[in-house]
Amino acid sequence: MWALTALLLLATLEKPILSLHPPWTTIFKGERVTLKCDGYHPLLLELRPISTLWYLGHLLLPSHKKSIEVQTPGVYRCQTRGAPVSDPIHLSVSNDWLILQVPYTPVFEGEPLVLRCRGWYDKVVYKLHYYHDGQAVRYFHSSANYTVLQARASDSGRYQCSGTMRIPVESAPMFSAKVAVTVQEARHSAAVRVLQVQPCGAPLRLGRRVHSPGAGGRGAGIVLVRGGYRHPQCPETQSVAAAPGAGFSPGPGLHHRPTGRSLGSWK
């Protein structure tokens, strides 16, 4: 019984995962996208199903379904009972002929970065150029995605695309709005916190290190053991769980006053 209670209390601390389908943060005016909220639903604690709360900025939306279709620009979040508010998704809506679409998920070093230059309602874009901080980085004869196979910090910056469309005759070159892209520190170096190993008998200090081999095979290394780390020459060292801290930092949103329940509250 106590074990079940502990598991339920731990589960309530998990943020729901908010996802976007299709996975692009900029769409054309009149288009709709689907937001899906995957979170903890403590059905064992209540006899009735648990609904989902949706926020646009700080405005509480009327829907309580697990997924919703939206077309209004702004900052979206979701929440399930007993859980914190999800991380935000920023949706932009454009009335331009060209838009540059980037994925809503964070891009980490070493992972692919995919950019999509899209013509109005999927018209083919010809003489397509992609730009990074004002410099042309790729040319395509017609519509194609620009992919950086292994993104680096230097790939961060402002991206833009240009091209022509046949509407019905070929147009002059048109440019998309610029979009800021940030390539974040690699997952393993940003998220993993390990123990900085000290000589046997010395206190252990918590720090940020991914790999610390002994020089030339000598000295202390770091050995992974079931969610913790131990000194390879001090078997009596106790394993300590290594997990990053996490917090919710609201981004800019629409400035509406909620008329009912406020963000993060439940009746």
Side-chain angles (χ1 to χ4, degrees):
M1 180 61 183
W2 284 109
L4 177 60
T5 303
L7 287 175
L8 290 175
L9 289 175
L10 286 175
T12 62
L13 301 178
E14 298 177 1
K15 288 182 182 180
I17 304 300
L18 180 59
S19 57
L20 175 65
H21 310 274
W24 310 105
T25 57
T26 303
I27 61 175
F28 286 115
K29 185 177 181 179
E31 291 185 319
R32 304 177 73 89
V33 294
T34 300
L35 292 169
K36 184 178 180 182
C37 189
D38 290 307
Y40 170 63
H41 293 264
L43 295 178
L44 293 178
L45 299 182
E46 302 222 7
L47 297 178
R48 59 185 175 85
I50 302 301
S51 61
T52 300
L53 291 183
W54 290 95
Y55 303 97
L56 175 56
H58 291 281
L59 178 67
L60 181 64
L61 300 178
S63 177
H64 296 282
K65 296 180 179 179
K66 188 175 181 180
S67 63
I68 59 173
E69 285 192 348
V70 298
Q71 60 181 22
T72 303
V75 181
Y76 289 87
R77 300 179 183 86
C78 70
Q79 185 181 25
T80 55
R81 189 179 302 246
V85 180
S86 72
D87 291 328
I89 286 181
H90 301 243
L91 183 66
S92 299
V93 175
S94 175
N95 203 29
D96 295 334
W97 283 101
L98 278 182
I99 57 175
L100 181 61
Q101 295 181 308
V102 299
Y104 74 95
T105 52
V107 178
F108 292 90
E109 289 179 325
E111 297 180 350
L113 167 62
V114 180
L115 305 178
R116 181 190 189 198
C117 190
R118 185 169 167 232
W120 177 257
Y121 280 85
D122 293 322
K123 288 184 179 293
V124 177
V125 180
Y126 298 95
K127 300 178 182 178
L128 173 58
H129 288 85
Y130 286 91
Y131 304 88
H132 178 211
D133 289 336
Q135 301 295 318
V137 291
R138 193 64 189 270
Y139 170 81
F140 295 98
H141 174 69
S142 60
S143 295
N145 294 347
Y146 171 54
T147 302
V148 179
L149 293 178
Q150 291 186 318
R152 298 174 295 177
S154 59
D155 293 311
S156 298
R158 298 179 68 81
Y159 286 84
Q160 189 178 28
C161 67
S162 71
T164 63
M165 284 185 288
R166 296 171 183 173
I167 45 177
V169 297
E170 189 166 352
S171 67
M174 295 178 285
F175 290 80
S176 72
K178 295 180 179 179
V179 178
V181 173
T182 301
V183 178
Q184 301 184 18
E185 188 179 3
R187 290 178 187 270
H188 59 278
S189 59
V192 176
R193 292 176 180 268
V194 302
L195 292 174
Q196 293 182 345
V197 178
Q198 306 297 317
C200 291
L204 297 176
R205 292 190 298 117
L206 183 64
R208 296 168 65 91
R209 183 178 298 170
V210 176
H211 183 58
S212 180
R218 299 184 301 276
I222 294 177
V223 179
L224 177 64
V225 288
R226 289 193 179 182
Y229 296 85
R230 65 175 172 81
H231 195 298
Q233 298 177 355
C234 302
E236 71 279 4
T237 303
Q238 184 178 2
S239 299
V240 180
F248 168 61
S249 178
L254 300 182
H255 300 289
H256 294 285
R257 290 184 178 272
T259 55
R261 292 169 289 189
S262 61
L263 181 62
S265 66
W266 284 90
K267 293 292 185 181

